[in-house]
């Protein structure tokens, strides 16, 4: 049995690991906000173009990030099993080679398919040209992001999350500077408009990769892995198969959730501009709050993975439940803000009375939504730590798209609940995912304990 002291120690260790990840996630989210603000001040067409381009870029970005998140539990298991540092480094080097190949293919696909998609959206001529310029520029970042995903996951799996914070905190202000210089043409730089925003994102990805390389070259806990040694990495089929086996389900989980929210935003447009604006206010604040449980889920993956790799299933089970409990605690805090101070939150975003009134109503539902979203995120993290990703994929895809979208469409359009029905659909999908994933972790970790 675990004592209260051991649970408190684990909570402290999880928070210590998660805090730098939270800072990194907020920095990355801030980069997107700065892009939007800069584009909005450039022109309405530029804002629309960056919004379209960023949404088209977002889904493949999330997919490939999920694919290489598989590196984290593998490295965590190796660390827990006390595998030699060089062996861990060899795995990461093989994953980096795979990421480079995948990244180049991603870049080629983005450059080839973007014009086919954008030209069929019915945009105004100027907006279409801006969106194509943005996507042509940002697509160069694909290989850089892919390799960065591997280095990030390696650092997390090793338990060195401050490397992730370093990359995010350094890239955030530089992204804003690059936007300012390249969009507006300050200090003698060319005035590139939304294309400059895409170039700024690509340059920021290079900055983030450079920060990871610095950490792996200079910090002893990462340098010992010898990831950057001057020796060509060899293609390893076993590494590719393991990443695909674990990573593809993670990629589909993240893509299913991201696309659920994107489709919900599109459906919200059926109810007019006020509903769309209010939805954006509420969903943006919920997304900011979600960075905490999302980061706790990533930390829980590492903590559970290291215990599982060490052959300690009881410890892994306890760490998973502690991570889920921390996620629930953060959810209750953000839900309280949404319930008791919604007007204060909405006032940060808008002073339009009609938008504010509807956004406040959305935040009331978001308070419920937040609890389930946090529970599913941390339970998913705990299951990744056990290298259990295929069944969670089936659970989440079914929860989001069969239950969530089904309830959303049924209540919004058939039952006549309108915009509120769409939000209750999101709640239903996240609730189903939270229940399914938490039961899965309880049963899976329980079986592991019973067999030892």
């Amino acid at each position: 049995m675990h004592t209260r002291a051991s649970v408190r120690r684990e909570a402290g260790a999880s928070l210590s690991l998660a805090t730098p990840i939270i800072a990194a996630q907020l920095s990355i989210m801030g980069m997107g906000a700065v892009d939007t603000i800069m584009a909005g001040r450039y022109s309405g067409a530029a804002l629309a173009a960056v919004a379209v381009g960023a949404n088209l870029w977002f889904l493949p970005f999330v997919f490939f990030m999920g694919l290489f998140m598989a590196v984290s539990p593998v490295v965590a298991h190796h660390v827990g099993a006390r595998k030699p540092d060089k062996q861990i480094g060899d795995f990461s080097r093989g994953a980096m080679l795979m990421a480079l190949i995948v990244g180049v293919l991603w870049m080629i696909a983005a450059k080839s398919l973007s014009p086919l998609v954008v030209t069929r959206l019915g945009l105004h001529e100027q907006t279409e040209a801006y969106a194509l310029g943005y996507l042509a520029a940002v697509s160069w970042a694909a290989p850089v992001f892919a390799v960065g995903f591997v280095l990030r996951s390696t650092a997390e799996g090793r338990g060195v999350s401050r490397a992730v914070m370093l990359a995010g905190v350094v890239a955030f202000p530089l992204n804003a500077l690059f936007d300012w210089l390249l969009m507006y043409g300050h200090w003698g730089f060319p005035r590139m408009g939304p294309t400059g925003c895409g170039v700024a994102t690509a340059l920021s990805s290079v900055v983030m990769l450079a920060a990871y390389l610095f950490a792996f070259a200079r910090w002893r806990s990462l340098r010992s892995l010898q990831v950057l040694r001057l020796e060509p990495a060899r293609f390893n089929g076993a590494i590719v198969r393991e990443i695909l086996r674990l990573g593809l389900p993670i990629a589909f989980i993240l893509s299913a959730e991201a696309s659920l929210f994107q489709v919900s935003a599109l459906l919200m447009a059926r109810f007019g501009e006020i509903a769309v604006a209010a939805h954006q206010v509420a969903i943006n604040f919920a997304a900011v709050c979600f960075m905490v449980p999302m980061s706790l889920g990533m930390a829980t993956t590492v903590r559970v993975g290291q215990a599982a790799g060490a052959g300690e299933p009881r410890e892994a089970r306890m760490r998973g439940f502690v991570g889920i409990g921390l996620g629930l605690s953060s959810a209750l805090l953000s839900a309280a803000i949404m319930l008791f101070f919604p007007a204060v939150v909405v006032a940060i975003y808008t002073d339009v009375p009609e938008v504010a009134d509807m956004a406040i109503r959305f935040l009331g539902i978001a308070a419920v939504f937040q609890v389930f979203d946090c529970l599913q995120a941390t339970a998913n993290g705990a299951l990744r730590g056990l290298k259990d990703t295929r069944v969670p994929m089936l659970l989440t895809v079914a929860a989001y798209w069969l239950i969530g979208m089904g309830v959303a469409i049924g209540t919004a359009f058939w039952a006549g609940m309108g915009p509120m029905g769409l939000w209750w659909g999101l709640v239903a999908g996240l609730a189903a995912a939270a229940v399914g994933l938490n039961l899965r972790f309880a049963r899976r970790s329980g079986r592991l304990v019973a067999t030892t």
Side-chain angles (χ1 to χ4, degrees):
M1 293 292 293
H2 293 281
T3 64
R4 289 184 179 180
S6 65
V7 171
R8 284 196 298 268
R9 282 195 299 271
E10 176 54 31
S14 293
L15 287 172
S16 178
L17 186 60
T19 300
I21 302 176
I22 295 170
Q25 291 299 123
L26 290 174
S27 297
I28 294 169
M29 193 171 189
M31 288 166 62
V34 169
D35 288 348
T36 301
I37 292 168
M38 292 281 191
R41 291 181 176 178
Y42 189 88
S43 72
L47 176 59
V50 169
V52 169
N55 275 286
L56 291 176
W57 174 253
F58 181 66
L59 277 181
F61 179 90
V62 167
F63 182 88
F64 290 115
M65 180 180 72
L67 177 65
F68 291 109
M69 280 175 66
V71 171
S72 179
V74 174
V75 170
H77 273 248
H78 287 341
V79 170
R82 300 186 182 277
K83 296 287 182 67
D85 284 353
K86 185 176 180 297
Q87 182 177 340
I88 300 173
D90 285 343
F91 172 82
S92 295
R93 282 165 59 82
M96 286 171 63
L97 178 59
M98 176 186 174
L100 182 60
I101 295 169
V102 168
V104 170
L105 295 175
W106 172 15
M107 179 183 69
I108 293 171
K111 288 187 175 296
S112 303
L113 298 177
S114 293
L116 299 177
V117 175
V118 172
T119 54
R120 286 165 172 76
L121 295 178
L123 304 173
H124 292 298
E125 184 178 348
Q126 183 64 77
T127 303
E128 180 181 295
Y130 279 160
L132 288 172
Y134 172 87
L135 287 166
V138 77
S139 61
W140 288 105
V144 183
F145 274 125
V147 174
F149 293 152
V150 172
L151 291 175
R152 170 181 176 152
S153 292
T154 300
E156 288 176 353
R158 182 72 165 175
V160 189
S161 57
R162 67 184 187 277
V164 183
M165 180 177 68
L166 172 68
V169 169
V170 170
F172 173 66
L174 289 177
N175 178 75
L177 176 62
F178 295 149
D179 273 339
W180 185 72
L181 293 175
L182 297 173
M183 288 188 72
Y184 294 93
H186 292 297
W187 294 356
F189 283 86
R191 183 181 174 90
M192 301 173 69
T195 300
C197 183
V199 174
T201 300
L203 291 174
S204 298
S205 73
V206 174
V207 170
M208 295 180 76
L209 180 60
Y212 285 126
L213 294 175
F214 171 84
F216 276 84
R218 300 297 298 272
W219 295 357
R220 182 180 302 173
S221 53
L222 295 176
R223 189 177 65 235
S224 63
L225 302 180
Q226 303 178 53
V227 169
L228 305 181
R229 67 180 185 272
L230 298 177
E231 174 186 319
R234 296 180 180 180
F235 184 82
N236 188 315
I239 291 175
V240 172
R241 287 191 295 273
E242 184 162 26
I243 291 175
L244 291 176
R245 181 178 64 83
L246 294 176
L248 281 176
I250 300 172
F252 283 117
I253 289 171
L254 296 185
S255 299
E257 184 171 12
S259 58
L260 174 70
F261 286 102
Q262 287 192 320
V263 171
S264 298
L266 293 174
L267 291 174
M268 191 65 71
R270 298 280 298 274
F271 300 105
E273 294 181 357
I274 291 175
V276 171
H279 174 81
Q280 185 61 28
V281 168
I283 208 72
N284 182 265
F285 184 72
V288 171
C289 294
F290 181 65
M291 292 302 101
V292 176
M294 180 181 180
S295 302
L296 286 166
M298 293 175 175
T300 301
T301 296
V302 176
R303 296 297 298 166
V304 171
Q306 290 182 353
E312 299 176 358
R314 290 183 185 278
E315 184 73 11
R317 180 177 168 87
M318 183 271 286
R319 290 181 178 188
F321 281 125
V322 168
I324 293 168
L326 290 171
L328 179 59
S329 298
S330 73
L332 294 175
L333 176 60
S334 57
I337 294 171
M338 294 176 189
L339 284 174
F340 298 116
F341 306 102
V344 176
V345 172
V346 172
I348 298 171
Y349 292 89
T350 183
D351 57 1
V352 179
E354 296 84 359
V355 174
D357 289 345
M358 185 172 286
I360 287 172
R361 294 170 64 195
F362 283 154
L363 282 177
I365 304 174
V368 182
F369 156 120
Q370 193 75 10
V371 172
F372 293 122
D373 207 9
C374 294
L375 285 172
Q376 68 84 19
T378 45
N380 238 326
L383 287 164
R384 287 197 302 270
L386 297 178
K387 293 187 177 182
D388 183 8
T389 59
R390 187 177 61 85
V391 171
M393 176 193 69
L394 298 175
L395 287 171
T396 51
V397 171
Y400 297 152
W401 282 98
L402 294 181
I403 298 176
M405 189 52 64
V407 171
I409 292 173
T411 55
F413 299 105
W414 296 346
M417 292 179 63
M420 301 302 158
L422 288 177
W423 271 79
W424 283 115
L426 294 176
V427 171
L430 291 168
V435 171
L437 292 169
N438 277 273
L439 287 175
R440 173 70 179 176
F441 178 73
R443 291 174 180 173
R444 183 70 190 274
S445 61
R447 284 198 298 268
L448 291 175
V449 170
T451 56
T452 58

